[in-house]
Amino acid sequence: MRHLMLQFAAASALTAFSVATAYAHASLETANAAPGSYKAVIRIPHGCEGQATHTVRVEVPEGYVGVKPMPKPGWTLAVDSGDYQKSYNLHGREVSSGTKAVTWSGGSLEDGHYDEFVLSGSLAGVEEGQKLFFVTTQTCADGEVKWDEIPAEGQDPHSLAHPAPGLTILAAEGGGHGHAGHGGGEQAVVAGDLEITAAWARAMLPGQPAGGGYLTIANKGDAADRLVGASASAAGRVEIHTMEVVDDVMVMRPVDGGLEIPAGETVELKPGGLHIMFLDVSDPFREGGTVAITLEFEKAGSVDVELPVRSARGGDGGGHHKH
């Protein structure tokens, strides 16, 4: 346990340093993603030179399609639509126009405060290594701050005064939020209004009785759904767990009452956060294999998903924690 706490403390210190650096500029919460569903969380670190920000405008980059903004209490939402530079295949249909910019106005982000502005959409027609930039403008009473500088190839964006929040596209196989999942080349699993991508399980050590699984669930509908259960032939029990720190100890607990998938939003089950817990596993998961799981949704019903098994190195380890 002491070893875990030391690891956690070191990781927390590194994360705190990284966040402090990123928060000097407007940035994306998730700066790397594979093709497929993507939730863009634009982090605004402060107001304008001592003044409160009353308007935030985000320009949607080409290749981020089917975008829907998340309303914010106290702010008025406006969407600018237009034609894309080309057509994209979105959930089996061709689209050639959509959201080009989103403006939240009428609110108040004080200079000493921080806030987030959220978009949900899909990355399409993009390639590994490509970079997309979300030009963002804050407007205050006497001026504005525009995060619109695009770094040159190889340039550190933090060397710029006002870098645009940037997203780097990952390969469709092996590590993002894409339709191809993690390492298996699978297409997204669609059930009703739900789209399940980026599914994978962590390889386990010999004799380890519990393992971790991860995936992304995007709700493309107008009504919320709920993940109410899961089962797998490879495990005696399957539960959805959440992670939190209690009295300086990392604690994982089952999610009571099911996991809500809000309308128009994406929920990620990933290392260090919400995740699938495979319990009473008799044959530990081996890298290169797959784990079949059945997810039970309140509205979408039963959904079968294959989770490719990836390396056990890094992350939460799939079982070294306190319940």
Side-chain angles (χ1 to χ4, degrees), residues 151-291:
E153 186 68 29
Q155 182 180 16
D156 182 359
H158 292 104
S159 67
L160 301 173
H162 297 95
L167 171 70
T168 300
I169 304 300
L170 300 175
E173 294 185 4
H177 299 70
H179 285 266
H182 280 79
E186 307 88 351
Q187 294 297 311
V189 176
V190 178
D193 292 325
L194 303 181
E195 181 182 87
I196 301 169
T197 57
W200 64 286
R202 193 186 300 281
M204 298 165 60
L205 301 175
Q208 184 178 334
Y214 316 96
L215 48 79
T216 297
I217 308 170
N219 187 345
K220 303 296 183 177
D222 297 326
D225 206 335
R226 186 175 296 275
L227 177 58
V228 295
S231 60
S233 59
R237 288 181 293 139
V238 180
E239 298 176 349
I240 308 302
H241 282 202
T242 185
M243 178 185 293
E244 61 181 330
V245 178
V246 179
D247 296 329
D248 297 324
V249 177
M250 188 186 301
V251 179
M252 299 186 192
R253 297 192 177 100
V255 175
D256 294 329
L259 177 63
E260 184 179 9
I261 316 297
E265 296 189 26
T266 298
V267 176
E268 292 182 88
L269 281 68
K270 59 185 179 180
L274 289 163
H275 59 279
I276 300 168
M277 205 70 200
F278 296 93
L279 302 168
D280 303 327
V281 177
S282 57
D283 186 13
F285 306 157
R286 294 176 176 83
E287 185 175 357
T290 59
V291 179

Side-chain angles (χ1 to χ4, degrees), residues 1-12 247-250 320-322:
M1 179 62 70
R2 176 177 173 78
H3 178 65
L4 172 62
M5 291 174 65
L6 289 174
Q7 283 185 319
F8 180 71
S12 297
D247 296 329
D248 297 324
V249 177
M250 188 186 301
H320 299 281
H321 58 265
K322 178 179 178 181

Side-chain angles (χ1 to χ4, degrees), residues 17-323:
F17 174 78
S18 301
V19 168
T21 302
Y23 279 15
H25 301 143
S27 61
L28 287 165
E29 181 180 71
T30 302
N32 301 277
S37 298
Y38 174 64
K39 181 179 179 180
V41 180
I42 296 93
R43 306 185 298 192
I44 304 297
H46 48 65
C48 317
E49 300 290 337
Q51 292 186 336
T53 295
H54 60 68
T55 301
V56 173
R57 178 181 173 82
V58 177
E59 297 177 27
V60 177
E62 186 75 16
Y64 188 38
V65 301
V67 172
K68 296 180 180 179
M70 179 184 291
K72 289 179 65 67
W75 297 72
T76 299
L77 187 62
V79 174
D80 293 344
S81 299
D83 293 334
Y84 299 136
Q85 294 177 11
K86 61 180 182 179
S87 296
Y88 297 91
N89 186 297
L90 183 62
H91 311 304
R93 61 186 179 89
E94 290 293 316
V95 295
S96 57
S97 63
T99 301
K100 302 286 287 185
V102 177
T103 302
W104 291 266
S105 62
S108 180
L109 170 58
E110 298 296 329
D111 189 44
H113 295 170
Y114 152 87
D115 207 344
E116 297 178 341
F117 297 79
V118 181
L119 305 172
S120 177
S122 294
L123 298 168
V126 290
E127 300 178 353
E128 179 184 5
Q130 183 177 347
K131 297 183 184 296
L132 305 185
F133 294 94
F134 292 70
V135 172
T136 301
T137 304
Q138 297 174 241
T139 304
C140 302
D142 297 327
E144 66 179 28
V145 176
K146 191 160 188 174
W147 306 98
D148 62 351
E149 295 181 283
I150 309 300
E153 186 68 29
Q155 182 180 16
D156 182 359
H158 292 104
S159 67
L160 301 173
H162 297 95
L167 171 70
T168 300
I169 304 300
L170 300 175
E173 294 185 4
H177 299 70
H179 285 266
H182 280 79
E186 307 88 351
Q187 294 297 311
V189 176
V190 178
D193 292 325
L194 303 181
E195 181 182 87
I196 301 169
T197 57
W200 64 286
R202 193 186 300 281
M204 298 165 60
L205 301 175
Q208 184 178 334
Y214 316 96
L215 48 79
T216 297
I217 308 170
N219 187 345
K220 303 296 183 177
D222 297 326
D225 206 335
R226 186 175 296 275
L227 177 58
V228 295
S231 60
S233 59
R237 288 181 293 139
V238 180
E239 298 176 349
I240 308 302
H241 282 202
T242 185
M243 178 185 293
E244 61 181 330
V245 178
V246 179
D247 296 329
D248 297 324
V249 177
M250 188 186 301
V251 179
M252 299 186 192
R253 297 192 177 100
V255 175
D256 294 329
L259 177 63
E260 184 179 9
I261 316 297
E265 296 189 26
T266 298
V267 176
E268 292 182 88
L269 281 68
K270 59 185 179 180
L274 289 163
H275 59 279
I276 300 168
M277 205 70 200
F278 296 93
L279 302 168
D280 303 327
V281 177
S282 57
D283 186 13
F285 306 157
R286 294 176 176 83
E287 185 175 357
T290 59
V291 179
I293 184 173
T294 299
L295 304 175
E296 296 285 345
F297 291 95
E298 196 170 65
K299 294 178 181 176
S302 298
V303 183
D304 294 326
V305 182
E306 291 282 338
L307 281 63
V309 180
R310 298 174 60 203
S311 171
R313 294 188 297 273
D316 64 356
H320 299 281
H321 58 265
K322 178 179 178 181
H323 285 270

